[in-house]
Amino acid sequence: RAGVALLPAKWRFRFDPDETGEEQQWFQRPTLREGWGVARTDSFWEDQAPGKQWLADHGAQYDGLGWYRTGFTIDEKYKGHQLVLFFGSVDEDAKIWINGQLIADHKMEGDDGWKTPFTNDISDAVEFGVANSLAVAVRDTSGKGGIYKRVWVMAE
């Protein structure tokens, strides 16, 4: 596998305690920026500003859905290659959309699933030479939650 693009460390982010994001199509592009902050993808959400603010406002850590969004461009030279999205780790489950298309509903497997890397094929969803949108809805039921290791696009 060869790295094609290391995705940004900082992504748009928001909690979804009422679980309305999918119904409201937060995975579509373009979407409103209102209500979205920033979170890093190299640290749990509870260790960052959104998690700390939630704790201060609610007196408890946040468990539930959190949404991440970013964009990326893939060079035309990768047309015809199998491309995968590589997640270093996500705590816990992740639904993943590229350009508004659901490409994966990744469920954490076993007690160590929250710290296990995984990949999803994005070859049919990605566009070349233009901005692609990526949205990830993470469900956390315990622990610190979120995408906490960097995300790559890789070519097989």
Side-chain angles (χ1 to χ4, degrees), residues 120-133:
N120 295 104
D121 192 315
I122 61 171
S123 304
D124 294 335
V126 74
E127 298 172 20
F128 298 90
V130 297
N132 291 275
S133 67

Side-chain angles (χ1 to χ4, degrees), residues 131-144:
N132 291 275
S133 67
L134 170 59
V136 181
V138 175
R139 179 173 301 282
D140 176 50
T141 60
S142 65
K144 294 189 173 199

Side-chain angles (χ1 to χ4, degrees), residues 26-61:
W26 292 359
F27 52 83
Q28 291 290 1
R29 61 175 180 181
T31 56
L32 297 173
R33 288 182 172 245
E34 185 177 323
W36 290 80
V38 173
R40 295 184 61 87
T41 57
D42 58 1
S43 162
F44 297 104
W45 66 41
E46 286 184 9
D47 293 338
Q48 299 180 64
K52 291 176 181 178
Q53 187 62 55
W54 183 273
L55 177 60
D57 292 347
H58 299 90
Q61 299 288 2

